[in-house]
Amino acid sequence: GALDRVVNDVAHEFRPPLAAIKEFASIIADGIGGSVTATQSEYLGHIQGAAVDLAHLVDDFLDTGKLRSGTLRVSRRPCTPAEVLDAAWPVLESRAGVKGVRLVRDAPDELPEIFVDAEKVSRSLVNLATNAIKFSNEQGKVTVRVEPEPGRVRFSVIDEGPGLSETEVSDLFERFHQGPGAQRIAEKGFGLGLSIVKDLVAVNLGLVDIDSVPGEGSRFSFTVPRKDLREVLDAYLAFAGRRNETSSVACIIASFEPGGRTVTQRLARLEDVTYCTDLLLPMPGTDEIMLLGQTPRSREWADRLERDLAAGEVPPQTSERVHLRRVGVWSLDEADVVLNEMLSITQGGAEGVHLSTHR
C-alpha cells in the first residue's frame, strides 16, 4: 500500500547518510584525522554500534515490505549451524560488550547440516539475541544454544531478563508492537525486529517458539529443517499450509542445456525469477532442479518463468538454456500424498537422500 511505499522510500534514503556516519567514525577511530583518546575511542564505538543497529533496522524495513509482497529473494542452501553462529557472533559479542552482558555459546561440535538461507537465519538469531541483550541487566547472561531435534535443528536465545506474561507473548510478534516490558528500559524501538524474525524463520520453513516466565527470563527459539529431502519437503508443505491450507502446490522440473555452470549458479539464476514462497531443490543424481510453487495454475507459472528467464539473458547467446517441464498440481488437503509424490519424482527414495548443491 501507500504506507509501505513511503516506508520503503524513506529506508532507502537512510542508507547514504548511514554509510557516511559509519565510514567517518571508523576513520576517526583509526587515528587518521589525529590522535584519539581512550574515552573518545569508547564514544566512537557507541556511534559505530548505533550506526550498525540503524543499518540493520533499515534492512528490516526493506525486507518486511518485500516479505509482505512475497518478492523477497531467498537462497536456501546446505550449510552447518556453526557457519550461522560464526556469522552472527562478532555482532553479538560487540553488543553484549557494550551492555556488559555475558554471552555464552552453547552448541555441540557435531550437528546435522541444515537447508536454509544462512544469512536470514543469522539475522533472525541476531535480532533475537540483540533483544535479549537489550532487556538483560548489566552482568546478566544471554545463552545462544543450538540443538538437534528429529528432522530439524533448533536455535535458542535464553536470557535472564524480566520475562513476559502470556498476554505479552501472544501480542509480541505483531508488526511494530512493543509490550509493556519496553517501558523498563531507556532504549526504545519499533518492535520490528521480533516481527521480522517470524517472517524470516517462516521463509526458512521453520517456526518460532517462546517460553517465558515473568521475573525469571525468556527463551526465544526457532527451528529450521535438516539437510534431508524428506524433511525439507515436509517443512515446505507445512509452510505452504500455514499460508493457505486450502491452496495447491505445483511442481516444475528445470533442466539445462550443457553449459558448464555449477548447480549453485543454476539455482541462483532460478532464484532471480522465483519468490520466497517457492522452493528450489537440486534433484539427487541429476543436473535438474525441482521447483515447487503455491499455485493451482502450473501452465501460467511456467510461462511466466520462461518469460522472466528469457528477459534476464543478456546477451541471450551466452546463457545456458533452461527447459521447464510441468509435472503436476496437488491439493494441500492431501499433504501426505503430495510428499510421497515429490519423493517419487526425485527417484531417490525417502530414506538417506540428502540435498547437495555440489556437482
Side-chain angles (χ1 to χ4, degrees):
L3 178 59
D4 286 329
R5 288 195 296 273
V6 170
V7 169
N8 189 72
D9 290 344
V10 171
H12 274 294
E13 292 298 324
F14 277 171
R15 281 183 158 170
L18 265 177
I21 292 170
K22 289 194 292 184
E23 180 180 356
F24 280 98
S26 179
I27 288 172
I28 296 171
D30 290 341
I32 294 175
S35 60
V36 179
T37 68
T39 301
Q40 290 170 335
S41 180
E42 179 186 347
Y43 294 165
L44 286 167
H46 289 296
I47 293 172
Q48 290 171 311
V52 169
D53 285 346
L54 191 51
H56 281 295
L57 183 60
V58 168
D59 289 339
D60 284 349
F61 269 120
L62 294 172
D63 280 357
T64 197
K66 293 176 184 177
L67 280 163
R68 285 160 66 88
S69 64
T71 57
L72 181 69
R73 176 172 170 170
V74 175
S75 298
R76 302 182 186 96
R77 302 281 191 276
C79 72
T80 65
E83 290 173 318
V84 171
L85 282 175
D86 289 345
W89 209 251
V91 175
L92 297 183
E93 282 187 320
S94 173
R95 295 181 185 186
V98 169
K99 185 69 184 287
V101 172
R102 184 160 65 95
L103 189 64
V104 177
R105 177 167 170 162
D106 180 10
D109 292 333
E110 297 298 325
L111 282 166
E113 284 188 275
I114 52 181
F115 187 74
V116 296
D117 184 317
E119 185 271 338
K120 291 174 178 56
V121 179
S122 180
R123 278 181 59 197
S124 301
L125 201 60
V126 166
N127 273 332
L128 290 182
T130 298
N131 196 68
I133 292 167
K134 183 166 63 173
F135 280 86
S136 293
N137 295 323
E138 194 170 342
Q139 305 307 316
K141 180 175 74 171
V142 170
T143 301
V144 179
R145 180 174 296 161
V146 188
E147 51 201 335
E149 294 185 357
R152 58 194 182 181
V153 170
R154 182 175 296 276
F155 291 81
S156 301
V157 175
I158 305 161
D159 66 54
E160 301 172 340
L164 299 162
S165 68
E166 289 185 14
T167 300
E168 288 174 315
V169 168
S170 65
D171 291 340
L172 195 54
F173 285 98
E174 291 298 320
R175 195 168 181 241
F176 300 126
H177 177 84
Q178 262 196 322
Q183 304 303 317
R184 302 188 185 107
I185 59 169
E187 303 170 66
K188 293 185 180 180
F190 291 103
L192 181 64
L194 292 177
S195 173
I196 202 170
V197 165
K198 183 179 178 181
D199 292 332
L200 291 176
V201 169
V203 298
N204 267 313
L205 314 181
L207 288 170
V208 178
D209 292 308
I210 308 172
D211 183 17
S212 188
V213 178
E216 296 184 17
S218 304
R219 171 178 171 145
F220 289 77
S221 66
F222 61 88
T223 58
V224 293
R226 295 190 184 201
K227 190 199 73 173
D228 176 88
L229 185 62
R230 173 182 283 277
E231 302 302 341
V232 172
L233 285 170
D234 191 50
Y236 176 74
L237 294 175
F239 160 67
R242 288 190 294 271
R243 294 186 68 241
N244 184 352
E245 62 183 13
T246 62
S247 70
S248 302
V249 170
C251 177
I252 292 174
I253 303 298
S255 57
F256 302 79
E257 290 185 356
R261 294 194 181 196
T262 65
V263 175
T264 298
Q265 290 171 328
R266 290 167 174 171
L267 279 168
R269 187 176 173 199
L270 291 172
E271 285 163 353
D272 279 336
V273 297
T274 52
Y275 300 134
C276 60
T277 51
D278 301 329
L279 178 66
L280 309 185
L281 295 174
M283 298 273 281
T286 76
D287 285 336
E288 295 182 322
I289 294 172
M290 175 192 288
L291 290 77
L292 298 180
Q294 200 169 354
T295 173
R297 296 181 290 275
S298 63
R299 179 180 295 278
E300 288 87 341
W301 187 34
D303 290 345
R304 197 269 299 168
L305 290 174
E306 286 182 341
R307 287 195 303 271
D308 290 351
L309 284 167
E313 294 177 353
V314 183
Q317 64 270 20
T318 64
S319 295
E320 190 177 49
R321 182 162 177 78
V322 184
H323 301 276
L324 301 179
R325 182 172 78 255
R326 291 185 297 116
V327 177
V329 178
W330 295 267
S331 171
L332 281 173
D333 291 340
E334 301 177 294
D336 290 342
V337 174
V338 182
L339 177 60
N340 289 328
E341 288 283 356
M342 295 300 103
L343 290 169
S344 175
I345 290 168
T346 64
Q347 301 177 351
E351 302 299 330
V353 178
H354 292 281
L355 303 165
S356 175
T357 56
H358 303 289
R359 294 188 63 123

